[in-house]
Amino acid sequence: MKAVINTIYESKLATLKDKIAVLSAPVQLTIVTVGEDPASKVYVRNKIRLFDELGLTCNHITLAEETTTQSDLDEIAANAEHAILFQLPLPNGLEAPDLPASVDVDGFGSEALGQLVLGQNSILPCTVQATIDIIASHFGENNFAGLKVAVVGRSNIVGKPLAIELINRQSTVSSFNSRSDLESVDWKRYDVVVVATGAYGVLESTQFFEGQLIIDVGINRVDGKLVGDVKHNLEIEPMAAITPVPGGVGRLTCLHVLGNAVKLAECAQG
Amino acid sequence: MKAVINTIYESKLATLKDKIAVLSAPVQLTIVTVGEDPASKVYVRNKIRLFDELGLTCNHITLAEETTTQSDLDEIAANAEHAILFQLPLPNGLEAPDLPASVDVDGFGSEALGQLVLGQNSILPCTVQATIDIIASHFGENNFAGLKVAVVGRSNIVGKPLAIELINRQSTVSSFNSRSDLESVDWKRYDVVVVATGAYGVLESTQFFEGQLIIDVGINRVDGKLVGDVKHNLEIEPMAAITPVPGGVGRLTCLHVLGNAVKLAECAQG
């Protein structure tokens, strides 16, 4: 699967470079971080590096955990004029402001999500877009209708918007969560299983079958190693195609932050 | 099931009357219709009658099919100061304006739907609320988590928002649509099957089992008779509990137009 991800990555990046070349409006991004979350630092560094490589401006606003208030964040959001994101998780009960769709590069705000439900938006949450890309690459861009997809996890930033987008594309979608009886599920019934629980080992590589596509959205640190949500049985070769962690969904997710910033710049240009 | 629906109806109505009695803001509704759709006339009459019975104001704006433009509708929407709805279907390609949540009594607009995805809204589309009520009455208000629910149909006004609300409530939700292979589905797996396809006979009463709750959202006219989406085999007593049409979901849906108008008046009051 690593080669597949690479191919998708290179193809999407090339398309984005072409779009950026003909845009008259500048593609910009502002990233706001609060405090010193180590995982956030890695994600932010990757985003900044990608923008740097393409000669684009990425502003990084770093706020101190001790002194930052909700109204500080709200004020930054209210003044945003181009693509902006508040890197999650935020400390001390701070919440990411509900951004207007015109600057909401993550697509996490209520305006972008409402447009998603109505099938009217172009901005998908970056991890959702990455998952859609991988399914499209495996089954074909025009073959979502009737595809049987299980989405395990119902977060506001992955599971729920992914289920909505798949319903928009006429897939047959089953949404599972921590209260679902996963033991009794016959996973064989699904063409695609997306695992986005945020917990390692909820499902195992040996539970899946030939012809299935398993998309592992999780990123967990176990014994100092980065792993996904799917537990890999190293003694038994998996029959299904399973996306790797790291170097799978996450790699494409980072690219789609740029992709969404380009879309917002295109919209601003009119 | 008719008795169950009646019980829910009377109980909800009593609660609403209590709420209206203590509200200082008036509960008002404006209904906009364009043209002479006969089914719309029935729905509108039922809503007006309910408001009349409670001594509440329901304004009905009737517009001619020939002369009404999109900007007429948009202007009415822009000036709305309390609960308003544009009765569907609208003729001539006219679209219901995307209402702000503060006046969106149907909950069909992008703002209300975005809040729904985030689990932050109090206004559900009326048919969705009616379906939730029936499930709550059958299985218990606190027993949605882990409940296996099939939602057949993916419209913006029923199927999709219902799936989202059920995911919010931690049900295990499967969403089917016209491209799903319904023949191969083992319906026995579901505690609840909601049929909202808008087409008569997609599923039959004999396909369901004891202990299951089947909620028939459809309203179709077949041989001059009102029927749901579920085809009833009159020779074989159904094993599952199936909501009737008419007198099922539709009766509660009408009540929730009032319920949502009360909620919007409460919000306006602060």
Side-chain angles (χ1 to χ4, degrees):
Chain A
M1 286 297 291
K2 268 222 156 88
V4 173
I5 303 286
N6 272 338
T7 305
I8 300 172
Y9 187 94
E10 295 304 334
S11 147
K12 295 276 167 191
L13 181 60
T15 307
L16 287 176
K17 281 181 179 169
D18 290 347
K19 285 186 177 176
I20 293 164
V22 297
L23 262 174
S24 57
V27 177
Q28 295 182 64
L29 174 66
T30 296
I31 299 176
V32 182
T33 55
V34 184
E36 305 286 333
D37 184 76
S40 289
K41 281 194 176 175
V42 177
Y43 296 141
V44 169
R45 197 173 57 214
N46 289 343
K47 290 169 195 169
I48 292 174
R49 185 186 295 152
L50 179 60
F51 274 69
D52 275 354
E53 280 171 11
L54 301 181
L56 302 172
T57 306
C58 185
N59 317 301
H60 185 192
I61 300 177
T62 56
L63 301 172
E65 180 166 344
E66 297 71 28
T67 53
T68 302
T69 64
Q70 186 65 45
S71 58
D72 295 333
L73 303 188
D74 293 343
E75 196 183 327
I76 292 170
N79 292 319
E81 290 180 346
H82 58 250
I84 185 170
L85 68 85
F86 291 80
Q87 184 67 44
L88 302 178
L90 292 166
N92 304 330
L94 292 171
E95 287 183 14
D98 189 7
L99 294 167
S102 57
V103 298
D104 184 3
V105 75
D106 268 337
F108 292 167
S110 62
E111 188 175 6
L113 290 170
Q115 292 170 356
L116 171 63
V117 176
L118 294 171
Q120 291 170 346
N121 76 329
S122 58
I123 297 288
L124 288 172
C126 302
T127 304
V128 173
Q129 184 64 59
T131 304
I132 293 291
D133 288 345
I134 297 170
I135 299 174
S137 153
H138 198 91
F139 289 97
E141 175 64 43
N142 298 315
N143 294 326
F144 281 84
L147 203 69
K148 292 173 190 148
V149 186
V151 179
V152 189
R154 50 153 213 147
S155 72
N156 284 347
I157 61 178
V158 185
K160 228 186 296 177
L162 175 62
I164 297 165
E165 175 63 10
L166 289 166
I167 292 172
N168 285 343
R169 288 170 178 253
Q170 288 195 278
S171 300
T172 301
V173 181
S174 292
S175 163
F176 299 90
N177 59 70
S178 57
R179 297 293 298 275
S180 300
D181 177 14
L182 294 184
E183 298 290 321
S184 75
V185 176
D186 178 9
W187 297 106
K188 204 178 233 168
R189 283 202 307 266
Y190 299 100
D191 303 306
V192 181
V193 180
V194 182
V195 190
T197 64
Y200 172 68
V202 169
L203 292 166
E204 302 198 15
S205 57
T206 49
Q207 291 184 273
F208 303 111
F209 300 90
E210 202 172 334
Q212 288 189 303
L213 172 63
I214 314 305
I215 301 179
D216 189 348
V217 175
I219 300 192
N220 309 286
R221 196 168 280 278
V222 173
D223 300 334
K225 243 187 93 182
L226 275 186
V227 293
D229 286 354
V230 175
K231 185 173 176 180
H232 285 262
N233 184 322
L234 299 176
E235 285 162 27
I236 303 172
E237 183 82 12
M239 288 191 283
I242 306 179
T243 63
V245 178
V249 173
R251 185 147 185 251
L252 295 178
T253 296
C254 181
L255 186 63
H256 283 302
V257 177
L258 172 61
N260 281 350
V262 169
K263 279 182 186 165
L264 294 178
E266 285 174 339
C267 290
Q269 186 175 288
Chain B
M1 286 297 290
K2 267 221 156 88
V4 173
I5 302 288
N6 273 338
T7 306
I8 300 172
Y9 187 94
E10 295 303 335
S11 148
K12 295 278 166 189
L13 181 60
T15 307
L16 286 176
K17 282 180 179 171
D18 290 347
K19 285 187 177 177
I20 293 164
V22 299
L23 262 174
S24 58
V27 176
Q28 294 182 66
L29 175 65
T30 296
I31 299 176
V32 182
T33 56
V34 184
E36 305 286 333
D37 184 75
S40 290
K41 281 193 174 174
V42 177
Y43 296 140
V44 170
R45 197 173 58 215
N46 290 342
K47 290 170 195 168
I48 293 174
R49 186 186 294 152
L50 179 61
F51 274 69
D52 275 354
E53 281 172 10
L54 300 181
L56 302 173
T57 307
C58 185
N59 315 301
H60 184 193
I61 300 177
T62 56
L63 301 172
E65 181 167 343
E66 297 73 26
T67 53
T68 302
T69 64
Q70 187 65 46
S71 59
D72 294 334
L73 303 188
D74 293 342
E75 195 183 328
I76 292 170
N79 292 319
E81 289 179 346
H82 58 249
I84 186 170
L85 67 88
F86 291 80
Q87 184 68 44
L88 302 177
L90 292 166
N92 304 330
L94 292 171
E95 287 184 15
D98 189 6
L99 294 166
S102 57
V103 298
D104 184 2
V105 75
D106 268 337
F108 293 167
S110 63
E111 187 175 5
L113 291 170
Q115 292 171 357
L116 171 63
V117 176
L118 295 171
Q120 291 170 345
N121 77 328
S122 57
I123 298 287
L124 287 173
C126 303
T127 305
V128 173
Q129 184 65 59
T131 304
I132 293 290
D133 288 346
I134 297 170
I135 299 174
S137 154
H138 198 91
F139 289 97
E141 176 64 45
N142 298 316
N143 293 327
F144 280 84
L147 203 67
K148 293 173 191 149
V149 186
V151 179
V152 189
R154 51 153 213 149
S155 72
N156 285 347
I157 63 179
V158 184
K160 227 186 296 177
L162 175 62
I164 297 166
E165 175 63 10
L166 288 166
I167 292 173
N168 285 342
R169 288 170 178 253
Q170 289 195 279
S171 300
T172 301
V173 181
S174 293
S175 164
F176 299 91
N177 60 69
S178 58
R179 296 293 297 276
S180 300
D181 177 14
L182 294 183
E183 299 289 320
S184 76
V185 176
D186 178 8
W187 297 105
K188 204 178 233 169
R189 284 201 307 264
Y190 300 100
D191 303 307
V192 181
V193 180
V194 181
V195 190
T197 64
Y200 172 68
V202 169
L203 292 166
E204 303 198 14
S205 57
T206 51
Q207 290 183 273
F208 303 111
F209 301 89
E210 202 172 332
Q212 289 188 303
L213 172 63
I214 314 305
I215 301 179
D216 190 348
V217 175
I219 299 192
N220 309 284
R221 196 168 281 276
V222 173
D223 299 336
K225 242 187 93 180
L226 276 186
V227 294
D229 285 355
V230 175
K231 185 173 177 182
H232 285 262
N233 184 322
L234 300 176
E235 286 163 25
I236 303 172
E237 182 80 13
M239 287 192 284
I242 306 180
T243 63
V245 178
V249 173
R251 184 145 186 254
L252 296 178
T253 296
C254 181
L255 187 62
H256 284 301
V257 177
L258 172 62
N260 281 350
V262 169
K263 279 182 186 164
L264 293 178
E266 285 174 342
C267 290
Q269 184 176 289

